[in-house]
Amino acid sequence: MRRAVIVLPTYNETGAIEQVINGIVDSTRDIKTWDIHMVIVDSNSQDKTQEKVEKLMKKIPRLQLLRVEKEGLGKAYIHGFNFAIEKLNPYLIFEMDADLSHNPKKIPEFLKKIEEGADFVIGSRYIKGGSIPKDWGLHRKIFSVGANFVIRFGFMKLKITDWTSGFRAIKTWIIKQSIPTIKNYSGYVFQVAILDYAVKHKAHITELPIEFKDRIYGKSKINSLQYALQTFAYVLFNSSFIKFVIVGLIGFVIDFGISYLFIEKFKSAIWLGTVISTESAIISNFFLNNFWSFSHKKLDHKLSSYIPNFLKFNLVSSGSILIQTLGVQLAVNFFGKQFWYVYKIIIIFFIVIPYSYIFYNKFVWKEK
Ligand code: GDD
Ligand code: MN
């Protein structure tokens, strides 16, 4: 029988913890195909959380308590994951809040998704059937919806709607592999980091609608502003798409600088200056993209991989140049040449960038 461990981080959850644990016991009682355990990871709660868990442990043998320092939600989860892996060797690990915001009745649905082949199941508040509390304050709604918007578009992974959800079922192999990478994210942003890791390592990810209920007991430990800033920084430093746009800007500077140098300073023929500058920018873009933007799927380090892909890269890049040239010309023919730079910017943003991003992903840095 496969084992699943539900990891529940707690900090001052004395009001809810018994109901949460009993709720999990009730809603998993009829499951015969999984061996389900619970690990409470408590960061030195000042209330009676630990005593309540210890009392319940006497009658629930599959319940354990891990005491850790208060170092943030991410760190608490990492401790819980390591403990579960060492002590229980599970096939599957759950993340779940211990304040009754997550309905334990959903657990069998997560297991079903795993049985159907998923590696990573997200309890999502933003797909059809899911919800956030109606009475959430406006600022909390804006932070949550806004953060998910920034992440989805920053990563250009529109299919996943809830990146920050804390109700998830994740196969242990993903957690084991990702710990060295994500262990540095001590706060709530670790949720984004582990999911990003799973996406980049080809995990099969699915979403399940959940209704997130506002807590009745105790209070939230989230610092929304800090979370939003950390999320923003995470996306900025980890998004292939944003890196790819930055590489494009660097390429533009190189292209412009070299053509200026050749044409103005060396008095070379314009065509020669243009060829040299364009190709220099293409070469720099190719290597920066390979080792930075798409580093998680960089090309095999051999000529037989570099040469054909470099040629394909040139082809796609020539396409960008062609689209820009023709597009600007066409716009100028229609609307006059006064605002040519506006047309150029619009074409770059809405056609060239999506076009080249999609083609680089499809033809040069393919999924392995
Ligand atoms: N051990 C430990 N240490 N537990 C913690 C800590 C900590 O430093 N901080 C929070 N927790 C526990 C809480 O006791 C609760 O069981 C759970 O983690 C979630 O914390 P809340 O403070 O209730 O978070 P929230 O409801 O505001 O945030 C929810 O939404 C976020 C995204 O919008 C959670 O589901 C988050 O996981 C999620 O990222
Ligand atoms: Mn909560």
Side-chain angles (χ1 to χ4, degrees):
M1 203 183 341
R2 290 187 292 192
R3 180 170 288 163
V5 177
I6 304 171
V7 177
L8 299 131
T10 53
Y11 183 66
N12 292 345
E13 299 294 0
T14 190
I17 191 66
E18 283 193 67
Q19 280 185 58
V20 172
I21 293 170
N22 289 328
I24 294 173
V25 170
D26 285 344
S27 46
T28 58
R29 184 169 290 125
D30 296 333
I31 297 173
K32 301 280 177 266
T33 43
W34 290 85
D35 174 28
I36 296 171
H37 290 245
M38 282 171 270
V39 172
I40 310 294
V41 187
D42 188 73
S43 296
N44 293 322
S45 289
Q46 308 300 307
D47 60 7
K48 297 262 176 275
T49 305
Q50 294 198 1
E51 286 83 336
K52 291 210 166 145
V53 175
E54 280 165 340
K55 194 188 87 197
L56 287 167
M57 280 164 66
K58 293 194 181 114
K59 56 174 194 186
I60 307 171
R62 288 176 189 175
L63 173 66
Q64 305 199 44
L65 172 64
L66 175 67
R67 295 175 182 85
V68 299
E69 292 303 313
K70 178 127 181 42
E71 303 166 303
L73 182 68
K75 283 269 187 313
Y77 263 120
I78 302 284
H79 286 305
F81 293 158
N82 281 327
F83 176 87
I85 292 168
E86 277 164 31
K87 295 273 185 302
L88 296 161
N89 189 28
Y91 177 80
L92 185 70
I93 293 179
F94 275 83
E95 281 181 17
M96 186 173 169
D97 291 353
D99 58 357
L100 291 170
S101 285
H102 294 151
N103 186 350
K105 292 204 173 70
K106 279 274 163 183
I107 293 170
E109 290 179 46
F110 280 86
L111 295 171
K112 189 153 171 282
K113 289 266 183 207
I114 296 287
E115 286 160 8
E116 288 166 0
D119 298 316
F120 194 125
V121 186
I122 306 166
S124 171
R125 300 161 294 178
Y126 297 115
I127 49 170
K128 198 166 166 279
S131 62
I132 53 175
K134 293 210 172 45
D135 53 353
W136 253 7
L138 187 64
H139 82 282
R140 176 114 207 224
K141 277 185 189 154
I142 291 174
F143 273 120
S144 184
V145 174
N148 273 294
F149 184 84
V150 168
I151 301 166
R152 286 172 78 190
F153 283 89
F155 286 147
M156 273 298 151
K157 284 273 179 293
L158 305 184
K159 275 191 205 138
I160 298 173
T161 65
D162 197 342
W163 282 79
T164 56
S165 167
F167 199 3
R168 299 160 160 186
I170 310 166
K171 281 190 184 162
T172 306
W173 67 263
I174 299 171
I175 292 187
K176 258 191 195 161
Q177 263 187 41
S178 68
I179 285 179
T181 314
I182 61 164
K183 67 171 192 299
N184 303 316
Y185 299 100
S186 57
Y188 282 75
V189 71
F190 114 99
Q191 303 281 26
V192 181
I194 188 169
L195 179 51
D196 179 39
Y197 183 95
V199 169
K200 288 187 174 143
H201 291 80
K202 307 277 90 50
H204 177 15
I205 299 165
T206 51
E207 288 187 312
L208 184 77
I210 59 162
E211 290 175 17
F212 187 96
K213 293 272 176 289
D214 217 358
R215 60 158 76 232
I216 313 165
Y217 309 100
K219 55 177 192 287
S220 167
K221 285 95 204 173
I222 209 163
N223 176 338
S224 294
L225 184 63
Q226 187 190 28
Y227 189 18
L229 292 177
Q230 285 176 350
T231 302
F232 199 66
Y234 184 88
V235 175
L236 201 61
F237 291 116
N238 293 280
S239 154
S240 294
F241 179 69
I242 290 173
K243 289 179 185 170
F244 149 88
V245 172
I246 293 172
V247 169
L249 289 174
I250 296 173
F252 172 78
V253 172
I254 291 177
D255 188 355
F256 198 83
I258 293 183
S259 37
Y260 181 83
L261 210 66
F262 270 78
I263 295 166
E264 293 291 327
K265 296 275 175 235
F266 305 156
K267 305 286 177 217
S268 79
I270 290 192
W271 71 265
L272 184 68
T274 308
V275 167
I276 293 175
S277 68
T278 320
E279 196 52 38
S280 306
I282 290 179
I283 292 171
S284 122
N285 283 8
F286 178 73
F287 284 102
L288 284 175
N289 277 323
N290 190 52
F291 290 105
W292 191 50
S293 326
F294 301 113
S295 60
H296 62 287
K297 37 185 184 178
K298 63 172 166 284
L299 303 170
D300 293 334
H301 202 63
K302 49 183 193 244
L303 279 182
S304 61
S305 166
Y306 274 100
I307 292 173
N309 283 305
F310 180 64
L311 293 177
K312 280 190 238 164
F313 188 81
N314 269 269
L315 201 67
V316 177
S317 306
S318 318
S320 308
I321 297 170
L322 203 69
I323 294 172
Q324 257 187 80
T325 317
L326 291 180
V328 173
Q329 187 61 51
L330 213 65
V332 166
N333 287 353
F334 266 108
F335 310 111
K337 84 177 190 202
Q338 197 190 355
F339 293 114
W340 66 271
Y341 50 90
V342 177
Y343 311 144
K344 194 172 165 83
I345 291 170
I346 292 176
I347 290 167
I348 290 179
F349 267 87
F350 292 99
I351 305 177
V352 173
I353 289 180
Y355 151 84
S356 41
Y357 187 70
I358 291 169
F359 277 72
Y360 292 158
N361 273 296
K362 284 240 178 309
F363 295 120
V364 185
W365 290 280
K366 288 186 285 250
E367 305 290 352
K368 283 183 187 147

